[in-house]
């Protein structure tokens, strides 16, 4: 399998991904050195991979606008992408795992496909168990994951690269530490590792015959009777205990479907998708206000907000047939959300700067409202 990772086709594909992903990086970023010297670097990289001599550099951890970002060296990111391409191609993931690409000829996977699958199972079921894993990426146990990877991969050189990826060294403000638990955020290989880690859960749930779908660490199980739902919950709890992870208590819902539940940003009832999840509305509102508060010219702020609103609206109505008839867009116009929040905090103690930003954000949104329809 390492021969496939080191092949020119896979490395060139990963190189194209790297160039596109880091096209806006600063002139001093190492990606530009990789781009300039790619022909000679590729030959050296192929030799190192085939002889098991490639070693990952320390991972940089930086803070940007209060958000923690983990940044791999350009060549390391390229190798990790090559690994992800090969593993996605060679491993046979369960069909209920929707965040990995499907094989050629299979039905397309993705978040919208997972929502459609759950909606198709609503008429024949009465109960739902929806949950996810608390701090999923950060809580993945390295020993458990390596055991699962060895069950699927028998190439020692490739296993060595995976072990390096897990037991990575982190550079944070020139302080070096070795990671002993969890996988890297924003890494092209991490979704594949996340799929492998919960594959035992997917296999066991598929064996029950219940309607089940998982996207990353979010899953939904539909059951026709209480006792079948209880049995499914017991299987989930036993599996998560074996994997040394735990459910998120605030994001777990067990009950009747007609009470409604959230899944991947949508609100779902026995009628199907009937709206956007409250948490998705809140994130949308907060994002609009943050975009307005950015230090940029007014024209640029209007452009960013308009672009974000159009993308968000496209996400809401695309891919799931049940969504289009569930909304009257004048009623859910972004300005309406800001007004609702202003009304909700009118009788509360609120900082003047927050109230001002909300008012200005609403005016800015109204300004571009005619373009959004």
């Amino acid at each position: 399998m390492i021969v496939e990772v080191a092949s020119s086709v896979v490395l060139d594909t990963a190189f194209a991904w790297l160039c596109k992903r880091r096209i806006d990086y600063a002139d001093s970023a190492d990606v530009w050195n990789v781009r300039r010297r790619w022909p000679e670097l590729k030959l050296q990289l192929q030799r190192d991979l085939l002889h098991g001599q490639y070693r990952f550099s320390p991972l940089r951890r930086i803070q940007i606008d209060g958000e923690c970002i983990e940044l791999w060296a350009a060549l390391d990111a390229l190798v990790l992408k090559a690994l992800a391409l090969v593993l996605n191609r060679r491993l046979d993931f369960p069909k209920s795992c929707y965040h990995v690409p499907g094989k050629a000829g299979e039905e397309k996977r993705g978040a919208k496909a997972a929502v459609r699958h759950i909606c198709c199972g609503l008429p024949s079921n009465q109960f739902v168990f929806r949950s996810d894993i608390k701090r999923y990426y950060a809580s993945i146990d390295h020993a458990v994951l390596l055991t699962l990877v060895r069950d699927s991969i028998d190439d020692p050189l490739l296993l060595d690269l995976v072990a390096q990826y897990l037991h990575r060294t982190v550079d944070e403000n020139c302080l070096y530490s070795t990671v002993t638990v969890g996988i890297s955020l924003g890494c092209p290989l991490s979704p594949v590792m996340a799929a492998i880690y919960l594959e035992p859960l997917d296999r066991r749930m598929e064996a029950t015959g219940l309607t089940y779908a998982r996207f990353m660490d979010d899953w939904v199980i539909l059951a026709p009777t209480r006792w079948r739902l209880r049995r499914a919950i017991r299987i989930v709890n036993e599996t998560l205990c074996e994997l040394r992870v735990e459910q998120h208590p605030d994001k777990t819902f067990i009950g009747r479907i007609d009470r409604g539940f959230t899944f991947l940003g949508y609100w779902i009832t026995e009628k199907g998708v009937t709206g956007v999840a409250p948490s998705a509305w809140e994130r949308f509102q907060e994002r609009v206000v943050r975009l307005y508060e950015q230090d940029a010219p007014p024209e640029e702020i209007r452009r960013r907000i308009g672009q974000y609103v159009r993308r968000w609206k496209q996400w809401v109505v695309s891919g799931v047939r049940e969504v289009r008839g569930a909304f009257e867009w004048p009623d859910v116009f972004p300005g309406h959300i800001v007004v609702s929040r202003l009304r909700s905090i009118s009788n509360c103690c609120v900082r003047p700067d927050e109230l001002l930003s909300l008012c200005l954000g609403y005016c800015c949104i109204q300004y571009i409202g005619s373009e959004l329809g």
Side-chain angles (χ1 to χ4, degrees), residues 86-103:
V86 172
L87 292 178
N88 274 323
R89 187 184 307 164
R90 298 290 293 272
L91 297 182
D92 186 20
F93 292 106
K95 293 183 179 180
S96 56
C97 178
Y98 280 88
H99 76 266
V100 295
K103 306 294 183 183

Side-chain angles (χ1 to χ4, degrees), residues 32-49:
W32 303 110
N33 181 56
V34 173
R35 294 184 65 165
R36 284 192 298 267
R37 301 177 53 211
W38 176 238
E40 61 179 286
L41 286 176
K42 182 171 74 170
L43 295 176
Q44 181 62 45
L45 180 60
Q46 288 176 320
R47 287 193 294 267
D48 291 344
L49 289 172

Side-chain angles (χ1 to χ4, degrees), residues 50-307:
L50 292 174
H51 290 86
Q53 297 175 349
Y54 188 82
R55 293 294 178 265
F56 290 117
S57 303
L59 172 66
R60 291 179 58 204
R61 184 179 291 163
I62 56 179
Q63 297 283 339
I64 298 180
D65 297 330
E67 182 181 0
C68 180
I69 297 177
E70 295 182 339
L71 185 64
W72 292 88
L75 206 57
D76 293 345
L78 188 150
V79 172
L80 291 168
K81 180 62 176 179
L83 283 171
L85 291 171
V86 172
L87 292 178
N88 274 323
R89 187 184 307 164
R90 298 290 293 272
L91 297 182
D92 186 20
F93 292 106
K95 293 183 179 180
S96 56
C97 178
Y98 280 88
H99 76 266
V100 295
K103 306 294 183 183
E106 290 184 351
E107 184 179 354
K108 186 178 180 180
R109 304 188 193 186
K112 299 300 176 67
V115 174
R116 288 195 296 269
H117 177 69
I118 292 300
C119 289
C120 290
L122 293 172
S124 57
N125 294 281
Q126 298 184 56
F127 301 94
V128 59
F129 172 34
R130 177 261 182 270
S131 188
D132 68 6
I133 294 177
K134 185 177 181 180
R135 301 178 66 247
Y136 182 41
Y137 271 25
S139 62
I140 287 179
D141 187 276
H142 289 178
V144 174
L145 180 54
L146 276 176
T147 300
L148 294 171
V149 172
R150 289 191 186 100
D151 292 340
S152 303
I153 302 171
D154 58 359
D155 189 320
L157 296 182
L158 196 146
L159 288 172
D160 175 66
L161 292 175
V162 173
Q164 289 186 57
Y165 152 81
L166 292 176
H167 305 302
R168 59 200 180 278
T169 298
V170 175
D171 171 13
E172 188 171 6
N173 295 326
C174 296
L175 296 177
Y176 292 85
S177 59
T178 301
V179 177
T180 58
V181 64
I183 60 177
S184 174
L185 290 169
C187 172
L189 185 60
S190 293
V192 183
M193 295 295 106
I196 294 175
Y197 200 76
L198 285 183
E199 186 173 347
L201 176 63
D202 298 336
R203 301 291 184 190
R204 294 175 186 180
M205 292 313 307
E206 287 184 353
T208 65
L210 298 175
T211 300
Y212 165 78
R214 178 176 68 85
F215 189 90
M216 295 300 292
D217 63 325
D218 290 284
W219 71 80
V220 169
I221 303 170
L222 304 181
T225 61
R226 289 183 185 275
W227 73 267
R228 293 193 68 181
L229 183 69
R230 291 194 188 103
R231 180 171 178 267
I233 294 172
R234 184 176 69 252
I235 294 173
V236 170
N237 291 336
E238 292 173 353
T239 304
L240 297 186
C241 183
E242 294 174 9
L243 298 175
R244 303 177 187 175
V245 291
E246 58 180 303
Q247 294 177 47
H248 198 302
D250 298 333
K251 298 181 180 179
T252 299
F253 173 76
I254 302 172
R256 288 187 171 273
I257 294 174
D258 54 18
R259 291 176 56 189
F261 61 94
T262 64
F263 186 45
L264 300 180
Y266 292 106
W267 181 254
I268 302 175
T269 65
E270 75 279 7
K271 298 179 181 178
V273 177
T274 59
V276 174
S279 57
W281 280 120
E282 292 173 4
R283 288 193 298 269
F284 171 77
Q285 172 189 338
E286 292 171 358
R287 176 62 175 166
V288 169
V289 174
R290 281 203 308 271
L291 285 172
Y292 182 82
E293 291 175 340
Q294 290 182 357
D295 186 14
E299 295 78 8
E300 178 64 16
I301 292 176
R302 295 189 188 100
R303 186 191 67 80
R304 291 176 183 176
I305 294 179
Q307 185 181 51

